[in-house]
Amino acid sequence: MKKILYSGNDASGRNQSGFIDAGSNRDALDSLHQQGLNDVQLHDDAALAIPRDDLDRLSPKQQAALAKFELQLRQHPSTLTFIRGILWQSRWLITLGVGLIGWGLYSDTLWLWLCGIPIATALPAYALLNYRTAQRYDALLRASALGENQQVRELVEQLKPQFTQPEMAFDLAIRNACALRDSEPLATALESLTPWRHAIEESSPGMFEGQTALVFHAYRKYDGFLQQMRLAYRHSNESPTIAVDLALTEARFGDLERAEELLASIMKEQLPPHGQPFIHWTRGLIAKRRGEPEARQHLRTALTGLTAIGESPAVWPALALCAGYYLSVLDPERDKEEAELLMGMFGEILMGGGDGLLHTELCTKVHVLHQRHRIINS
């Protein structure tokens, strides 16, 4: 069972959020609907969510407050959002501490304001100290997206002492393995992941293969990427998120009919909000490979959806890749200005770690990309 972050509206229309125990997204939806919630959104996938044992000691009210805070951070990831949330969650302790400080100053009682200072500042200070780890991880995501492999390896080493949970340590291992593409053979990168296989397969079936697929992609071994994604879907008990990922992979490198079958099997309400643009992206690639005019509109819709959640660097590789595919269906003369704008926004990420086949295609169609390619390789 995993704890899945959700939001929805109760019978009176008030927004509710929290965490629900469920073995699958379907089970989570059924349970929430039985509780009378409507317009439910699941913000995690049971197949991929990390265990949240930290929530077991919280009351339902505390879990709801934490869920609201996490949703705000996911929607607007910034230091300001974090500080506002921490101050709000700590408001009663801060008020008590400030009251003791004021009372101590008013009554000239030293011990009161000496007690008030740590009460008012302890929780915010502890949270901000921990936020340094989050900022460092954010820097890792940025370096990964930009293909700054040396920086990735350095940040991985810095984060290892804090990332002790198997799923988190495995995430670091995956990013490090992808960053080895300039210096080590693929077999060495894959071998570095074996210590986590058992723990990941036990807690999240399908995750090991799905994440390992990213290493094949980083090394531009697209047949291996496709095979790993097929294994991930098979082992995940048909996770809706992994189903979308596989459909997109099939549309890029595999069987178009299989991609369509996967899309038809997905219940959209089971997908986290960030999964919706991937459906349009997949439909756009299916149409592109068949030479159908609908490709442009689907890819544009997907790009718009991904841009809306593009504040987080975790989204940047997908966002840039989607932009690249949209570029590939533009007319290099008629749409030159739009193409140049997109390349100015996403070209660095596409160059850093994008799809090699797409890169080759773009070099023959988009003048600005061709020029960048010549400069970088000169």
Side-chain angles (χ1 to χ4, degrees):
M1 300 287 280
K2 297 286 186 66
K3 294 186 184 296
I4 300 175
L5 179 63
Y6 72 86
S7 60
N9 298 319
D10 62 18
S12 63
R14 290 178 300 182
N15 184 259
Q16 303 287 335
S17 57
F19 299 90
I20 184 165
D21 292 315
S24 68
N25 288 26
R26 183 188 296 274
D27 292 343
L29 276 177
D30 290 345
S31 180
L32 291 168
H33 287 154
Q34 289 172 10
Q35 295 176 28
L37 290 185
N38 302 305
D39 302 319
V40 174
Q41 285 191 327
L42 303 179
H43 299 273
D44 291 315
D45 189 309
L48 303 174
I50 65 172
R52 294 295 302 270
D53 297 336
D54 58 307
L55 300 177
D56 292 337
R57 57 181 178 271
L58 300 181
S59 68
K61 185 176 180 179
Q62 290 172 320
Q63 287 194 24
L66 180 60
K68 184 177 180 181
F69 177 42
E70 290 194 10
L71 285 173
Q72 290 172 342
L73 270 179
R74 293 190 189 194
Q75 293 164 0
H76 305 288
S78 69
T79 303
L80 182 59
T81 302
F82 179 82
I83 291 174
R84 283 176 176 171
I86 289 298
L87 291 177
W88 176 251
Q89 289 193 29
S90 311
R91 65 192 183 279
W92 299 118
L93 277 177
I94 294 173
T95 301
L96 174 61
V98 170
L100 288 173
I101 293 170
W103 186 11
L105 292 173
Y106 176 77
S107 63
D108 198 25
T109 306
L110 180 63
W111 70 268
L112 283 175
W113 66 267
L114 285 178
C115 289
I117 290 174
I119 290 175
T121 62
L123 188 56
Y126 176 74
L128 287 173
L129 183 63
N130 285 338
Y131 191 60
R132 291 180 60 192
T133 299
Q135 289 179 310
R136 191 168 287 168
Y137 183 68
D138 186 76
L140 172 62
L141 295 178
R142 291 171 184 270
S144 295
L146 296 171
E148 297 171 348
N149 293 330
Q150 180 60 36
Q151 179 75 355
V152 168
R153 293 194 291 270
E154 291 174 1
L155 287 165
V156 165
E157 291 303 316
Q158 293 172 22
L159 285 165
K160 279 182 179 180
Q162 287 78 41
F163 280 48
T164 56
Q165 190 173 358
E167 289 81 3
M168 299 168 72
F170 181 57
D171 178 76
L172 294 184
I174 288 290
R175 298 189 185 282
N176 189 71
C178 291
L180 294 176
R181 67 174 180 261
D182 296 332
S183 57
E184 300 289 345
L186 175 60
T188 301
L190 295 175
E191 181 65 26
S192 71
L193 303 176
T194 54
W196 286 273
R197 177 184 286 274
H198 177 72
I200 299 303
E201 288 179 344
E202 187 175 27
S203 66
S204 301
M207 181 186 286
F208 185 85
E209 292 81 7
Q211 292 295 95
T212 302
L214 299 177
V215 183
F216 281 90
H217 190 277
Y219 277 77
R220 299 187 175 183
K221 302 294 185 181
Y222 302 119
D223 287 343
F225 175 56
L226 175 60
Q227 294 304 319
Q228 286 296 116
M229 287 306 305
R230 287 172 173 170
L231 285 173
Y233 178 65
R234 193 180 309 153
H235 294 169
S236 72
N237 194 25
E238 301 184 352
S239 152
T241 299
I242 296 181
V244 172
D245 288 343
L246 176 56
L248 178 60
T249 305
E250 295 282 2
R252 290 173 66 192
F253 307 117
D255 185 334
L256 294 185
E257 291 185 2
R258 179 58 174 149
E260 290 178 317
E261 290 173 2
L262 286 162
L263 289 182
S265 71
I266 295 165
M267 296 179 63
K268 292 184 180 181
E269 60 270 26
Q270 292 184 22
L271 278 177
H274 63 264
Q276 303 296 337
F278 288 82
I279 293 178
H280 284 285
W281 186 357
T282 303
R283 294 196 187 284
L285 291 187
I286 292 171
K288 169 180 159 62
R289 284 180 60 185
R290 288 178 173 162
E292 298 170 350
E294 294 85 0
R296 177 168 176 155
Q297 184 55 49
H298 279 301
L299 290 170
R300 186 181 184 88
T301 301
L303 183 59
T304 300
L306 287 171
T307 302
I309 58 173
E311 287 184 70
S312 171
V315 182
W316 291 359
L319 178 56
L321 194 58
C322 183
Y325 278 111
Y326 177 58
L327 275 165
S328 74
V329 299
L330 296 181
D331 185 281
E333 295 299 327
R334 187 182 64 219
D335 303 312
K336 183 178 179 181
E337 288 187 9
E338 185 177 13
E340 290 182 351
L341 175 64
L342 289 172
M343 277 308 307
M345 295 172 63
F346 303 113
E348 186 177 4
I349 300 175
L350 278 170
M351 290 295 188
D355 181 334
L357 299 177
L358 175 63
H359 179 217
T360 300
E361 179 182 357
L362 290 175
C363 280
T364 64
K365 293 191 66 174
V366 182
H367 177 72
V368 65
L369 180 60
H370 180 65
Q371 293 299 317
R372 287 173 179 265
H373 178 69
R374 284 199 332 188
I375 291 169
I376 287 173
N377 288 279
S378 63

